[in-house]
Amino acid sequence: MAEETKTLADLKDLKDLKDLKDLKDLKDLKDLKDLKDLKDLKDLKDLKDLKDLEDLKEVAETVAPAEEAPLPEPKIDAQGRSYATGKRKNAVARVWIKPGPGKIGINGRDVETYFARPVLRMLINQPFHAASREGQYDVVCTVKGGGLSGQAGAVRHGISKALSIFEPALRPVLKKGGFLTRDARVVERKKYGKRKARRSFQFSKR
């Protein structure tokens, strides 16, 4: 008597099955055991030709969910601060943050004095707003190089990195907002034979 063709319903008792690419016929499954212990079943693209795809639901239920990577440990110094370096254009900022009422000091001055333009202060507070940590951290930083706009961007970058170091769980939120990425745009260099990077000298016909 001819042996009946086995379907995916018979895969319930199969073991150590990691690659289903060669199972299009599903006739010779005698050497496979116990599919319930399967953890590495990720690719079912080559099972499109099978007829009994309803039984894949039972297979999917047996697949263990991927384990999330553990969060890194917070890096906090003896004073309870986290440190990070931020950069933007030609500006470099050294930033320390610690829990507090939300006071921000830059080069020994208040943020309202150093960055008088409201848009620059808004730029600095963006990481706290994205992470819902407004008014929960004090910031002390020193910044040099560049202009006020570049320095504000450097401080924002440093605050974002320091936040992700103090609270590693905030990293996905800050990363999604683009706060952890160093903006690589800088002033293009001047070329010889040109007045600036691309601007030519004034043309004189005679």
Side-chain angles (χ1 to χ4, degrees), residues 86-97:
K87 296 181 180 181
R88 172 79 171 96
K89 295 185 180 179
N90 286 329
V92 180
R94 299 186 301 162
V95 180
W96 292 266
I97 68 168

Side-chain angles (χ1 to χ4, degrees), residues 53-112:
L53 293 180
E54 293 181 359
D55 299 316
L56 281 177
K57 295 179 181 178
E58 298 179 6
V59 176
E61 291 175 358
T62 63
V63 178
E67 296 181 1
E68 295 183 1
L71 292 173
E73 291 293 326
K75 296 180 181 179
I76 303 173
D77 62 13
Q79 286 78 33
R81 308 172 302 177
S82 285
Y83 168 79
T85 303
K87 296 181 180 181
R88 172 79 171 96
K89 295 185 180 179
N90 286 329
V92 180
R94 299 186 301 162
V95 180
W96 292 266
I97 68 168
K98 66 178 181 179
K103 184 179 179 181
I104 301 177
I106 300 172
N107 290 348
R109 298 156 66 185
D110 292 335
V111 65
E112 290 82 6

Side-chain angles (χ1 to χ4, degrees), residues 195 199-205:
R195 180 176 157 189
R199 173 81 161 88
S200 298
F201 293 113
Q202 180 175 336
F203 174 72
S204 176
K205 193 169 184 179

Side-chain angles (χ1 to χ4, degrees), residues 19-194:
D19 192 359
L20 293 180
K21 293 182 180 179
D22 300 322
L23 291 181
K24 291 184 179 180
D25 297 331
L26 289 180
K27 293 180 180 178
D28 261 328
L29 300 178
K30 296 179 181 179
D31 298 331
L32 303 174
K33 303 175 183 178
D34 209 344
L35 185 59
K36 292 182 180 179
D37 296 335
L38 178 62
K39 294 182 180 180
D40 297 322
L41 181 60
K42 295 180 181 178
D43 192 1
L44 297 176
K45 293 180 181 178
D46 295 315
L47 290 178
K48 293 180 181 179
D49 299 331
L50 298 176
K51 298 178 181 179
D52 273 66
L53 293 180
E54 293 181 359
D55 299 316
L56 281 177
K57 295 179 181 178
E58 298 179 6
V59 176
E61 291 175 358
T62 63
V63 178
E67 296 181 1
E68 295 183 1
L71 292 173
E73 291 293 326
K75 296 180 181 179
I76 303 173
D77 62 13
Q79 286 78 33
R81 308 172 302 177
S82 285
Y83 168 79
T85 303
K87 296 181 180 181
R88 172 79 171 96
K89 295 185 180 179
N90 286 329
V92 180
R94 299 186 301 162
V95 180
W96 292 266
I97 68 168
K98 66 178 181 179
K103 184 179 179 181
I104 301 177
I106 300 172
N107 290 348
R109 298 156 66 185
D110 292 335
V111 65
E112 290 82 6
T113 305
Y114 196 90
F115 292 119
R117 288 162 54 193
V119 66
L120 299 181
R121 295 198 298 272
M122 180 197 70
L123 195 74
I124 290 174
N125 286 310
Q126 282 179 343
F128 294 122
H129 180 73
S132 300
R133 294 294 187 273
E134 293 161 302
Q136 299 183 29
Y137 285 95
D138 286 345
V139 179
V140 175
C141 70
T142 60
V143 60
K144 62 181 181 180
L148 288 177
S149 177
Q151 288 185 353
V155 172
R156 185 186 83 156
H157 186 219
I159 290 174
S160 304
K161 290 170 63 177
L163 263 179
S164 66
I165 293 172
F166 197 95
E167 288 189 66
L170 297 179
R171 181 175 175 82
V173 177
L174 296 171
K175 185 71 174 176
K176 185 177 180 180
F179 298 112
L180 299 177
T181 303
R182 202 274 199 222
D183 194 339
R185 295 176 297 172
V186 295
V187 177
E188 188 175 348
R189 67 166 288 253
K190 181 190 179 304
K191 281 80 172 183
Y192 53 83
K194 296 282 186 177

